[in-house]
Amino acid sequence: MLILNLIIVLLLFAGLHIMKRKEVSFGKRILFGLFAGILYGAGLQAIYGLGADVIKETVSWLNVVANGYIHLLKLIVTPLILVSIITSILQLKDIRTFRTTGLTIIGILLFTTLIAAGIGAASALGYGLSAVGMPAGDAELGAAQKIETKLQGFQAASIQEQLINIIPTNVFHALTGQGQADTLSVVFLAAVIGLSILHIRQYRPESAEFLQKIVVYGQDIVMEVVEFILRITPYSVLALIAKFIATSNVESIMKLISFVAASYTAILAMFLVHLLLVAIGKYNPLDYIRKAFPVLSFAFTSRTSAGTLPLTTHALEHDFGISKGIANLSASFGISIGQNGCAGVYPAMLAVMIAPTVGIDPFTLPFLLKLVVITAIGSFGIAGVGGGATFAALVVLSTMGLPVGLVGLLIAIEPLIDMGRTALNVSDAMVTALLTQRIIGEADAAEDALGEARAEA
């Protein structure tokens, strides 16, 4: 039976290859891979039953494509962040322009996270979620113990130490992505290098030009790898979603279906906020959905905001026409700051759900205001990979004085919720880029008009 299952997978892959040769659009191929994977995974579970040996063997081969692809994405993320931010800074006129663009992006990311936290809390209250009396099995208790251990390590470092840890002491170690604040460390390193070259340009332009060429050559190599990743994305989407559907425990998911429903209600509500912001920014929301769909669908299946970074920057530049500087900065900042799904909606929902277990009324205004503010501030530095939401929950729950171990109760449905959260994270980064482009563009136009008026006077 294993051979038959693999033959079917190869036939589906062949279908995707034929679609590519016939120049079927990337979005349609992603959509085909998504639905083909759902049907294939559901078929495996329906025929063999959950946990069957033949499913495990089939999934082990699917993992060659699925996990191999994720590894490839993780490989390219750090160099992509590094060269993207450096080149983004070098395309700016001066350091003052960088401050304006960077602060605008960070401001929008935090503003949307503030809204996301409010929506998450409202959804949890609306569904009447509560962890009081919720049963915990062995898996949940084991997860709770791991989370408690993780919190102890987190609390061992003060806020000042956590800020200091963003500054890498070893360039090469920071680039390996093994540090506690690895993503922000790379962002910091890229900003320092970019701003240094920008400053050198003022008094030694020939050196700055040489350094800029080195960065551009490095970016050419990185982007060539990104192009290869894009070409194999539809195949990975099929494998990822098939693996998820074939191995999902429907009974476990049904136990906490209310939390799933509340989560996706909040996610969809926040996505509508994104569309509203897009409209305010004078973009067509339907056009945004059409162009963003391939990127968001991959984020949904892969569950990694950082891994989706190559697709995000590519879509912003080529499909939305966003300048390379703003596209790279928004996408790169978006995987470590803000994150509407993982660092906004999810921690706020958990706080509302867990509060009654320690006798706190989540309906009180002081509790809700404190929750929303802490969630937004705590969204700094959340890693854009699997597990980032758990870390965000640790920050918010511990700051609110709530028991973090109860997060382990949700382990059975974590993958299902994480899919929607990740897509929302990536959408936030894309919307931020659109709004920043509009704000910066209008500011530049106003400055040009003022300059012309002064010249005429």
Side-chain angles (χ1 to χ4, degrees):
M1 299 306 293
L2 173 64
I3 300 299
L4 177 60
N5 293 342
L6 296 180
I7 289 175
I8 294 174
V9 172
L10 292 176
L11 289 174
L12 292 173
F13 284 171
L16 283 170
H17 180 66
I18 292 173
M19 291 174 71
K20 184 179 184 300
R21 293 186 61 182
K22 291 185 176 182
E23 299 183 352
V24 176
S25 69
F26 181 73
K28 290 181 180 178
R29 283 184 281 131
I30 286 283
L31 193 61
F32 175 84
L34 183 65
F35 284 106
I38 291 174
L39 293 175
Y40 180 71
L44 287 178
Q45 189 170 147
I47 294 172
Y48 303 111
L50 182 66
D53 290 338
V54 66
I55 289 183
K56 294 178 181 178
E57 293 173 356
T58 303
V59 167
S60 69
W61 283 102
L62 286 174
N63 277 335
V64 174
V65 178
N67 291 351
Y69 184 78
I70 297 299
H71 285 193
L72 185 60
L73 286 170
K74 290 180 178 179
L75 172 69
I76 200 63
V77 163
T78 298
L80 180 59
I81 293 175
L82 186 68
V83 299
S84 295
I85 292 181
I86 294 175
T87 53
S88 299
I89 294 173
L90 295 181
Q91 288 173 4
L92 301 174
K93 293 182 292 185
D94 49 37
I95 296 177
R96 176 181 157 188
T97 305
F98 171 75
R99 287 200 300 265
T100 302
T101 304
L103 289 177
T104 300
I105 291 171
I106 293 173
I108 295 174
L109 288 172
L110 292 181
F111 173 69
T112 55
T113 303
L114 197 71
I115 297 175
I119 290 177
S123 181
L125 292 172
Y127 276 83
L129 298 182
S130 175
V132 175
M134 183 177 289
D138 293 338
E140 288 80 4
L141 292 174
Q145 292 174 357
K146 290 181 180 179
I147 291 170
E148 293 280 10
T149 301
K150 187 174 182 180
L151 178 62
Q152 292 174 4
F154 171 75
Q155 290 178 328
S158 65
I159 294 177
Q160 295 89 336
E161 290 174 330
Q162 293 170 42
L163 291 174
I164 293 173
N165 286 336
I166 294 175
I167 305 174
T169 56
N170 186 301
V171 172
F172 301 102
H173 182 266
L175 294 176
T176 63
Q178 301 301 313
Q180 293 180 348
D182 51 357
T183 303
L184 282 181
S185 293
V186 176
V187 171
F188 176 85
L189 181 62
V192 169
I193 294 174
L195 292 174
S196 297
I197 297 175
L198 206 60
H199 188 258
I200 292 173
R201 184 187 293 169
Q202 298 176 5
Y203 63 88
R204 195 173 294 173
E206 65 279 2
S207 295
E209 183 179 356
F210 174 74
L211 294 171
Q212 184 167 348
K213 285 182 178 179
I214 294 177
V215 174
V216 171
Y217 294 151
Q219 187 183 41
D220 288 342
I221 296 174
V222 171
M223 294 313 297
E224 186 61 31
V225 177
V226 169
E227 288 294 332
F228 169 72
I229 291 174
L230 289 172
R231 287 195 291 271
I232 63 175
T233 295
Y235 305 93
S236 67
V237 168
L238 192 156
L240 284 163
I241 195 66
K243 168 188 171 183
F244 172 76
I245 297 297
T247 57
S248 291
N249 187 333
V250 179
E251 292 182 1
S252 295
I253 293 174
M254 290 301 293
K255 291 179 182 178
L256 295 172
I257 194 65
S258 293
F259 189 83
V260 175
S263 296
Y264 275 93
T265 297
I267 289 169
L268 290 174
M270 191 60 206
F271 186 71
L272 291 176
V273 171
H274 286 178
L275 296 181
L276 177 61
L277 292 174
V278 166
I280 292 174
K282 300 178 183 178
Y283 291 97
N284 187 328
L286 294 179
D287 192 47
Y288 169 77
I289 294 174
R290 179 178 63 82
K291 293 178 179 179
F293 176 78
V295 180
L296 299 184
S297 61
F298 175 75
F300 185 85
T301 55
S302 67
R303 297 170 52 204
T304 163
S305 302
T308 312
L309 181 61
L311 282 73
T312 306
T313 54
H314 184 274
L316 287 173
E317 290 182 45
H318 296 86
D319 297 330
F320 290 97
I322 303 299
S323 68
K324 182 174 290 188
I326 291 177
N328 288 330
L329 283 176
S330 296
S332 299
F333 283 175
I335 65 174
S336 56
I337 299 173
Q339 294 212 350
N340 289 178
C342 291
V345 169
Y346 185 66
M349 289 186 64
L350 284 182
V352 170
M353 186 176 179
I354 293 173
T357 66
V358 292
I360 297 176
D361 182 4
F363 283 91
T364 59
L365 185 60
F367 172 84
L368 293 175
L369 289 176
K370 180 181 178 182
L371 173 63
V372 170
V373 173
I374 288 176
T375 301
I377 296 175
S379 68
F380 269 91
I382 300 305
V385 294
T390 298
F391 185 75
L394 294 179
V395 174
V396 173
L397 294 178
S398 60
T399 305
M400 295 288 292
L402 300 173
V404 299
L406 290 174
V407 176
L409 295 175
L410 303 174
I411 189 174
I413 56 172
E414 173 67 17
L416 180 59
I417 301 172
D418 196 38
M419 299 171 84
R421 290 191 314 232
T422 306
L424 187 64
N425 295 341
V426 174
S427 177
D428 182 38
M430 299 181 78
V431 170
T432 297
L434 294 177
L435 295 179
T436 302
Q437 176 93 344
R438 181 69 66 190
I439 293 170
I440 298 299
E442 291 181 353
D444 289 344
E447 185 176 342
D448 292 340
L450 181 61
E452 291 177 2
R454 288 174 177 173
E456 292 176 359

